[in-house]
């Protein structure tokens, strides 16, 4: 194996393998941040009074910023020093992390004192108890609605820009850095393994983020003692949400420095054709275009570049297959914690842990192993597409099996299914038909606060006929519908021993199904010329984000909402969030939507294979078959 030859006149000690290792760490930090935001979303809602809709926008803004920047960064960045561009992106990503933590400086760590907390709990006891005297008018109209209308608008704006900038500044991570590695490996067969290793970190990272959010949710936001008589499960507990962003920002800064010590390119005697820095030779090598001039060149040349790529049938069909395959991450993995929590009665923290196990065990390890297999056995591009199709068929089968591995939803008193109307009905306006609720005035209760007694579930303490609340133990007692006993907080789910069977099916299916996911990126890179790789990968990421990652949460959220049978209305005339799903429908819809998109991914991968048999990929062409302009560039490169 040949040694790396650095550019003349300079000595570099850092190797391409060290660049790969550094990128693995950077992507691990990025993935940790992405998982951490999801894990801390509920805490941010509680701390700043954000609605669910605004929380959803916070998540989407990252992908919107990433999508907006990726084409421009990819095209302009290809004419500059790629490691330095990546290093600048890492530094700016660190600043975006610090911006996400900035609201803690303006609004403090918590929005109430211990005395205010006791007042909140006393107001809660009046709001949710059996109102024998009929003094309650409409519950959930005071505190929750006041918080919603008085939310910290400026804090939301700061967080929104932080998310947007985080997406923009991450653009070099999965475009420029990938191309730099692919163009500078000593042997082309090493590329799938190294790129697979990087991609696997996008699954490892979120698992670390869930773990970090789980740890910091157990640390009170002031980093000191919490107010008396509240624990981590109390609705007034606020975790140290801001600390995780600071940790990610510091990690980014630490990792940014080495990027500025890598060469613009490595010259290997067995490298493939054109080195990246010579992809656009100029008549006068001393003349360098300014950023403004490069943007002008981009605007003038991009339409023709775009046309060339869109007319590349192998490239575009694989990009579309990649786009549909991305719904596994953008849809299934995003809503898997919710599915496990509502379907199998696991706590939110345990649902995150199980989702992390699937992410690491079935997706991250599998992707890295698949890259190694492609490199170890030097599987040709066309044969690798066959492997990809076979593995995606396994994912499809696992979805179809998963459709039949659900549980029944918890039964709530007063909730019944109406056959002729094909809908669920709750006795919200007929509570007085129940003798234990005759004088409780529970029809004014809009907010869901489930309690249970001996396996019997109630919508709220009022619907259980409870009249006494202990602010120190956070418990309800003297509940008439529970024969005067104390009730437990939360719903009791029916016994269901199929969960670990479901976990095993999805682990096996997703492990085998993701073995060759790296083929999508490999074909994208192999189906274009070297000087097109940066913009080709940028365009692929742009399409995947625009039609995959951004709409996926919205599409899945819409279908999941169709499975809801009981809504939690925080305020009058509002729907609120779903507190109880039709589990049988949820199981079939959730996996059915996944299977739908997977079928299209398989179809376009098959079309790509069929088209690839009738064309030659650039790396298979002899030099005389290249377009005249590129052939001249390659000859000049060989002479150098």
């Amino acid at each position: 194996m040949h040694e790396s030859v650095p550019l003349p006149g300079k000595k570099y000690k850092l190797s391409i393998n060290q660049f790969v290792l550094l990128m693995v760490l950077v992507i691990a930090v990025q993935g940790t941040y992405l998982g951490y935001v999801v894990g801390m979303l509920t805490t941010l809602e509680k701390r700043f009074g954000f609605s669910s809709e605004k929380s959803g926008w916070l998540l989407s803004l990252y992908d919107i910023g990433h999508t907006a920047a990726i084409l421009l960064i990819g095209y302009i960045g290809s004419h500059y020093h790629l490691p330095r561009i990546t290093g600048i992106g890492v530094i700016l990503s660190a600043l975006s992390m610090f911006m996400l933590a900035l609201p803690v400086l303006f609004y403090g760590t918590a929005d109430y004192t211990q005395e205010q907390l006791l007042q909140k709990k006393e107001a809660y006891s009046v709001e949710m108890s059996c109102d024998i005297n009929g003094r309650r008018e409409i519950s959930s109209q005071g505190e929750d609605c006041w918080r919603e209308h008085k939310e910290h608008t400026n804090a939301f704006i700061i967080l929104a820009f932080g998310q947007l900038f985080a997406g923009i500044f991450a653009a070099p991570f999965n475009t420029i850095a990938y191309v730099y590695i692919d163009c500078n490996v000593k042997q082309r067969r090493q590329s799938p393994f190294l790129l697979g290793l990087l991609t696997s970190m996008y699954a490892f990272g979120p698992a670390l983020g869930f773990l970090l959010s789980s740890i910091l949710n157990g640390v009170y936001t002031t980093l000191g003692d919490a107010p008396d008589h509240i624990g981590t499960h109390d609705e007034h507990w606020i975790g140290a949400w801001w600390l995780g962003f600071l940790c990610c920002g510091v990690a980014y800064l630490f990792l940014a420095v080495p990027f500025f010590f890598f060469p613009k390119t490595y010259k290997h005697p067995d490298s493939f054709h054109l080195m990246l820095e010579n992809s656009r030779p100029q008549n006068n090598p001393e003349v360098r275009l300014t950023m403004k001039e490069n943007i002008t060149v981009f605007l003038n040349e991009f339409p023709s570049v775009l046309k060339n790529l869109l007319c590349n049938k192998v490239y575009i069909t694989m990009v579309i297959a990649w786009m549909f395959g991305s719904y596994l991450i953008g849809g299934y993995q995003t809503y898997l914690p919710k599915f496990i929590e509502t379907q199998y009665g696991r706590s939110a923290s345990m649902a995150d842990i199980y989702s992390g196990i699937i992410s690491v065990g079935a997706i991250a390890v599998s992707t890295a192993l698949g890259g190694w297999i492609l490199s170890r056995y030097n599987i040709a591009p066309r044969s690798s597409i066959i492997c990809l199709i076979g593995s995606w068929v396994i994912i499809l089968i696992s979805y179809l099996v998963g459709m039949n591995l659900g549980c029944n939803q918890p039964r709530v008193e007063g909730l019944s299914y109406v056959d002729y109307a094909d809908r669920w009905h709750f006795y919200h306006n007929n509570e007085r038909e129940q003798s234990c609720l005759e004088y409780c005035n529970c029809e004014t209760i809009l907010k869901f606060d489930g309690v249970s007694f001996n396996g019997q579930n109630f919508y709220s303490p009022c619907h259980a006929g409870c009249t006494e609340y202990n602010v120190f133990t956070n418990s309800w007692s003297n509940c008439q519908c529970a024969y005067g006993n104390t009730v437990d907080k939360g719903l009791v789910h029916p016994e269901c021993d199929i969960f670990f069977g479901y976990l095993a099916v999805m682990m096996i299916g997703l492990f085998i199904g993701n073995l060759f996911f790296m083929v999508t990126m490999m074909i994208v890179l192999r189906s274009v010329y070297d000087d097109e790789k940066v913009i080709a990968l940028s365009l692929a990421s742009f399409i995947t984000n625009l039609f995959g990652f951004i709409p996926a949460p919205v599409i899945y959220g819409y279908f999941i909402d169709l499975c809801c049978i009981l809504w939690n209305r925080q305020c009058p005339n509002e729907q609120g969030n779903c507190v109880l799903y039709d589990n049988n429908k949820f199981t079939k819809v959730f996996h059915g939507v996944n299977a739908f998109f997977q079928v299209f991914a398989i179809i376009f991968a098959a079309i790509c294979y069929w088209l690839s048999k009738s064309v030659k990929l650039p790396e298979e062409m002899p030099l005389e078959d290249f377009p005249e302009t590129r052939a001249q560039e390659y000859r000049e490169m060989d002479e150098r």
Side-chain angles (χ1 to χ4, degrees), residues 27-28 31-32 197 199-210 333 356 359-361 363-366 368:
I27 293 177
T32 299
L197 189 62
T199 303
S200 69
M201 293 310 298
Y202 280 108
F204 272 113
L208 296 176
F210 284 133
Q333 192 174 3
S359 296
V360 173
I363 300 178
V365 174
S366 175

Side-chain angles (χ1 to χ4, degrees), residues 49-89:
F50 297 151
S51 64
S52 297
E53 181 182 359
K54 286 197 170 185
S55 299
W57 272 107
L58 283 179
L59 292 180
S60 297
L61 281 168
Y62 173 87
D63 287 318
I64 292 173
H66 192 69
T67 303
I70 203 164
L71 280 180
L72 187 62
I73 292 292
Y75 187 86
I76 296 178
S78 64
H79 306 305
Y80 289 90
H81 195 295
L82 300 192
R84 290 176 187 171
I85 291 291
T86 306
I88 292 172

Side-chain angles (χ1 to χ4, degrees), residues 413 427 431 434-438 440 442 453 456 458 460-466 478-485 487:
E413 289 300 314
Y427 62 31
E431 291 88 349
Q434 309 296 313
S435 59
C436 60
L437 301 177
E438 187 174 359
C440 283
C442 293
F453 173 74
Q456 190 177 13
F458 302 93
S460 73
C462 181
H463 289 85
C466 302
N478 194 27
C479 303
Q480 300 308 308
C481 296
Y483 312 104
N485 293 300
V487 295

Side-chain angles (χ1 to χ4, degrees), residues 69-126:
I70 203 164
L71 280 180
L72 187 62
I73 292 292
Y75 187 86
I76 296 178
S78 64
H79 306 305
Y80 289 90
H81 195 295
L82 300 192
R84 290 176 187 171
I85 291 291
T86 306
I88 292 172
V90 176
I91 292 175
L92 294 177
S93 294
L95 297 181
S96 69
M97 295 297 102
F98 297 143
M99 188 174 185
L100 287 168
L102 199 58
V104 76
L105 295 179
F106 296 107
Y107 299 101
T109 52
D111 60 351
Y112 46 75
T113 63
Q114 183 164 318
E115 292 74 17
Q116 291 172 326
L117 178 61
L118 290 176
Q119 292 176 2
K120 288 174 181 282
K121 290 199 170 190
E122 289 171 358
Y124 163 75
S125 67
V126 173

Side-chain angles (χ1 to χ4, degrees), residues 330-342:
Y332 178 80
Q333 192 174 3
T334 298
Y335 286 97
L336 182 60
K338 175 186 280 290
F339 177 76
I340 292 175
E341 182 180 353
T342 60

Side-chain angles (χ1 to χ4, degrees), residues 2-312:
H2 301 287
E3 295 296 326
S4 299
V5 180
L7 291 176
K10 295 185 179 180
K11 293 184 178 180
Y12 296 95
K13 296 182 179 180
L14 298 178
S15 68
I16 188 64
N17 289 335
Q18 289 172 316
F19 183 87
V20 173
L21 177 60
L22 189 61
M23 278 306 305
V24 164
L25 296 176
V26 168
I27 293 177
V29 175
Q30 184 193 18
T32 299
Y33 144 70
L34 293 174
Y36 181 77
V37 171
V38 175
M40 277 294 178
L41 208 57
T42 302
T43 299
L44 289 171
E45 289 175 358
K46 289 195 297 184
R47 173 62 187 91
F48 297 111
F50 297 151
S51 64
S52 297
E53 181 182 359
K54 286 197 170 185
S55 299
W57 272 107
L58 283 179
L59 292 180
S60 297
L61 281 168
Y62 173 87
D63 287 318
I64 292 173
H66 192 69
T67 303
I70 203 164
L71 280 180
L72 187 62
I73 292 292
Y75 187 86
I76 296 178
S78 64
H79 306 305
Y80 289 90
H81 195 295
L82 300 192
R84 290 176 187 171
I85 291 291
T86 306
I88 292 172
V90 176
I91 292 175
L92 294 177
S93 294
L95 297 181
S96 69
M97 295 297 102
F98 297 143
M99 188 174 185
L100 287 168
L102 199 58
V104 76
L105 295 179
F106 296 107
Y107 299 101
T109 52
D111 60 351
Y112 46 75
T113 63
Q114 183 164 318
E115 292 74 17
Q116 291 172 326
L117 178 61
L118 290 176
Q119 292 176 2
K120 288 174 181 282
K121 290 199 170 190
E122 289 171 358
Y124 163 75
S125 67
V126 173
E127 181 184 32
M128 300 302 291
S129 65
C130 176
D131 186 20
I132 298 176
N133 298 321
R135 293 178 298 180
R136 180 174 57 232
E137 294 181 1
I138 295 291
S139 76
S140 296
Q141 185 170 296
E143 175 187 343
D144 292 332
C145 294
W146 180 86
R147 285 187 63 186
E148 182 173 341
H149 291 100
K150 295 290 184 179
E151 65 188 6
H152 300 282
T153 304
N154 290 338
F156 175 80
I157 292 174
I158 293 172
L159 292 171
F161 274 105
Q163 282 285 94
L164 185 69
F165 291 150
I168 292 173
F169 300 144
F173 297 173
N174 57 1
T175 52
I176 288 177
Y178 277 76
V179 173
Y180 181 78
I181 293 171
D182 188 63
C183 287
N184 288 285
V185 289
K186 294 180 181 179
Q187 291 185 343
R188 202 37 80 95
R189 61 183 294 178
Q190 296 176 330
S191 182
F193 171 67
L194 296 178
L195 299 183
L197 189 62
L198 261 63
T199 303
S200 69
M201 293 310 298
Y202 280 108
F204 272 113
L208 296 176
F210 284 133
L211 177 62
L212 182 61
S213 66
S214 178
I215 293 172
L216 294 184
N217 266 325
V219 177
Y220 194 61
T221 183
T222 61
L223 302 184
D225 294 331
D228 295 337
H229 311 299
I230 72 168
T232 55
H233 297 289
D234 192 283
E235 64 176 324
H236 299 292
W237 176 276
I238 302 294
W241 60 270
W242 50 273
L243 188 56
F245 294 125
L246 293 181
C247 292
C248 291
V250 171
Y252 271 139
L253 285 180
F254 178 77
L255 294 172
V257 177
F259 282 103
F260 296 91
F261 295 93
F262 285 95
K264 188 175 184 181
T265 187
Y266 293 87
K267 293 182 178 180
H268 306 300
D270 56 352
S271 62
F272 175 68
H273 297 309
L274 183 64
M275 290 294 103
L276 195 60
E277 82 279 10
N278 294 294
S279 60
R280 292 185 59 186
Q282 300 178 20
N283 294 329
N284 185 356
E286 300 298 325
V287 176
R288 282 188 169 273
L289 297 180
T290 64
M291 177 66 74
K292 181 179 179 180
E293 290 171 334
N294 266 304
I295 293 177
T296 303
V297 172
F298 167 76
L299 295 176
N300 292 333
E301 295 186 356
F302 181 70
S304 61
V305 174
L306 181 63
K307 179 182 177 181
N308 290 338
L309 291 175
L310 294 180
C311 292
N312 186 330

